[in-house]
Short mmCIF file of all heavy atoms in Angstrom, two decimals:
data_model
loop_
_atom_site.label_atom_id
_atom_site.label_comp_id
_atom_site.label_asym_id
_atom_site.label_seq_id
_atom_site.Cartn_x
_atom_site.Cartn_y
_atom_site.Cartn_z
N LEU A 935 -24.80 36.14 30.05
CA LEU A 935 -24.46 35.58 28.74
C LEU A 935 -25.64 34.83 28.15
O LEU A 935 -25.89 34.90 26.95
CB LEU A 935 -23.25 34.66 28.86
CG LEU A 935 -21.92 35.36 29.10
CD1 LEU A 935 -20.82 34.34 29.37
CD2 LEU A 935 -21.55 36.24 27.93
N PHE A 936 -26.37 34.10 28.98
CA PHE A 936 -27.55 33.37 28.51
C PHE A 936 -28.59 34.33 27.94
O PHE A 936 -29.15 34.09 26.87
CB PHE A 936 -28.16 32.55 29.66
CG PHE A 936 -29.45 31.86 29.30
CD1 PHE A 936 -29.44 30.71 28.54
CD2 PHE A 936 -30.66 32.37 29.71
CE1 PHE A 936 -30.62 30.07 28.19
CE2 PHE A 936 -31.85 31.74 29.39
CZ PHE A 936 -31.83 30.59 28.62
N ILE A 937 -28.86 35.41 28.62
CA ILE A 937 -29.88 36.37 28.19
C ILE A 937 -29.46 37.07 26.90
O ILE A 937 -30.27 37.26 26.00
CB ILE A 937 -30.17 37.39 29.30
CG1 ILE A 937 -30.84 36.70 30.49
CG2 ILE A 937 -31.05 38.54 28.78
CD1 ILE A 937 -30.90 37.54 31.75
N THR A 938 -28.20 37.45 26.77
CA THR A 938 -27.76 38.25 25.62
C THR A 938 -27.30 37.42 24.43
O THR A 938 -27.11 37.97 23.36
CB THR A 938 -26.62 39.20 26.04
OG1 THR A 938 -25.54 38.43 26.59
CG2 THR A 938 -27.11 40.23 27.04
N ARG A 939 -27.16 36.14 24.60
CA ARG A 939 -26.73 35.27 23.49
C ARG A 939 -27.83 35.24 22.44
O ARG A 939 -29.01 35.29 22.74
CB ARG A 939 -26.47 33.88 24.02
CG ARG A 939 -25.78 33.00 23.04
CD ARG A 939 -25.41 31.70 23.73
NE ARG A 939 -24.42 31.02 22.94
CZ ARG A 939 -23.14 30.94 23.23
NH1 ARG A 939 -22.69 31.48 24.34
NH2 ARG A 939 -22.30 30.31 22.46
N GLY A 940 -27.44 35.14 21.18
CA GLY A 940 -28.40 35.10 20.08
C GLY A 940 -29.38 33.95 20.21
O GLY A 940 -29.02 32.87 20.69
N ILE A 941 -30.59 34.16 19.78
CA ILE A 941 -31.64 33.15 19.93
C ILE A 941 -31.39 31.92 19.06
O ILE A 941 -31.89 30.84 19.35
CB ILE A 941 -33.04 33.76 19.65
CG1 ILE A 941 -34.12 32.86 20.21
CG2 ILE A 941 -33.24 34.04 18.19
CD1 ILE A 941 -35.47 33.49 20.28
N ASN A 942 -30.61 32.05 18.03
CA ASN A 942 -30.32 30.92 17.14
C ASN A 942 -29.10 30.12 17.59
O ASN A 942 -28.72 29.17 16.93
CB ASN A 942 -30.12 31.41 15.71
CG ASN A 942 -31.42 31.94 15.13
OD1 ASN A 942 -32.49 31.44 15.42
ND2 ASN A 942 -31.32 32.98 14.34
N GLN A 943 -28.51 30.49 18.70
CA GLN A 943 -27.35 29.78 19.23
C GLN A 943 -27.80 28.88 20.38
O GLN A 943 -28.64 29.26 21.18
CB GLN A 943 -26.30 30.76 19.74
CG GLN A 943 -25.72 31.65 18.65
CD GLN A 943 -24.77 32.67 19.23
OE1 GLN A 943 -25.05 33.27 20.24
NE2 GLN A 943 -23.63 32.86 18.56
N ASN A 944 -27.22 27.69 20.43
CA ASN A 944 -27.51 26.79 21.54
C ASN A 944 -26.76 27.25 22.78
O ASN A 944 -25.62 27.71 22.69
CB ASN A 944 -27.08 25.37 21.20
CG ASN A 944 -27.89 24.78 20.07
OD1 ASN A 944 -29.06 25.11 19.91
ND2 ASN A 944 -27.29 23.93 19.29
N TYR A 945 -27.41 27.10 23.92
CA TYR A 945 -26.78 27.47 25.18
C TYR A 945 -27.40 26.64 26.28
O TYR A 945 -28.62 26.48 26.33
CB TYR A 945 -26.98 28.97 25.48
CG TYR A 945 -26.06 29.50 26.52
CD1 TYR A 945 -24.75 29.85 26.21
CD2 TYR A 945 -26.47 29.65 27.83
CE1 TYR A 945 -23.89 30.35 27.17
CE2 TYR A 945 -25.62 30.15 28.80
CZ TYR A 945 -24.33 30.49 28.46
OH TYR A 945 -23.48 30.96 29.42
N TYR A 946 -26.59 26.08 27.12
CA TYR A 946 -27.05 25.21 28.19
C TYR A 946 -26.84 25.92 29.52
O TYR A 946 -25.72 26.26 29.87
CB TYR A 946 -26.27 23.89 28.15
CG TYR A 946 -26.71 22.88 29.16
CD1 TYR A 946 -27.93 22.24 29.03
CD2 TYR A 946 -25.91 22.57 30.25
CE1 TYR A 946 -28.34 21.29 29.96
CE2 TYR A 946 -26.31 21.63 31.18
CZ TYR A 946 -27.53 20.99 31.03
OH TYR A 946 -27.92 20.07 31.94
N LEU A 947 -27.93 26.17 30.23
CA LEU A 947 -27.87 26.85 31.52
C LEU A 947 -28.10 25.80 32.61
O LEU A 947 -29.18 25.25 32.73
CB LEU A 947 -28.96 27.93 31.59
CG LEU A 947 -28.99 28.80 32.83
CD1 LEU A 947 -27.71 29.62 32.97
CD2 LEU A 947 -30.19 29.73 32.79
N LYS A 962 -34.97 36.22 29.56
CA LYS A 962 -34.56 35.94 28.19
C LYS A 962 -35.75 36.09 27.25
O LYS A 962 -35.63 36.66 26.17
CB LYS A 962 -33.96 34.53 28.10
CG LYS A 962 -33.64 34.06 26.68
CD LYS A 962 -32.52 34.86 26.07
CE LYS A 962 -32.08 34.22 24.75
NZ LYS A 962 -31.10 35.04 24.06
#
Side-chain angles (χ1 to χ4, degrees):
L935 288 173
F936 175 77
I937 293 167
T938 57
R939 191 173 197 106
I941 197 166
N942 293 325
Q943 297 176 316
N944 294 329
Y945 197 80
Y946 183 71
L947 184 63
K962 173 67 171 174

